[in-house]
Amino acid sequence: MKLPKFSLKARLALSLALLLLVCSGAMFATFDYQTQRSMIAAAQARQDTSLRILVDQFSSVYDGIEVEMSPHGQIEEL
């Protein structure tokens, strides 16, 4: 079976469409990865804040709660 020959315009259009598809896929994957990382970082920050609030509330009510903080302000040990 003989394959049909495409004109130069058709080959260029097909090549351009394929290139655009590959670039779009790469951009989508990159944006998706960055969004996931951003969401994870935001969730961890909210969790750290909630933990500090909880420890503050409990330490004001119950005696003997000792908190060890990291240089970055995160709770390392209770």
Side-chain angles (χ1 to χ4, degrees), residues 56-63 65:
D56 182 56
Q57 294 294 319
F58 269 88
S59 64
S60 66
V61 174
Y62 299 105
D63 294 332
I65 294 179

Side-chain angles (χ1 to χ4, degrees), residues 8-60:
L8 180 60
K9 286 182 184 180
R11 285 187 283 177
L12 285 175
L14 185 59
S15 298
L16 182 62
L18 183 61
L19 180 65
L20 287 174
L21 184 64
V22 169
C23 288
S24 296
M27 286 175 41
F28 175 77
T30 302
F31 291 150
D32 186 53
Y33 177 77
Q34 289 177 343
T35 300
Q36 286 178 358
R37 289 288 164 205
S38 164
M39 290 173 63
I40 289 171
Q44 287 174 340
R46 285 192 307 270
Q47 187 175 13
D48 287 342
T49 302
S50 297
L51 183 60
R52 282 195 297 271
I53 291 170
L54 181 69
V55 167
D56 182 56
Q57 294 294 319
F58 269 88
S59 64
S60 66

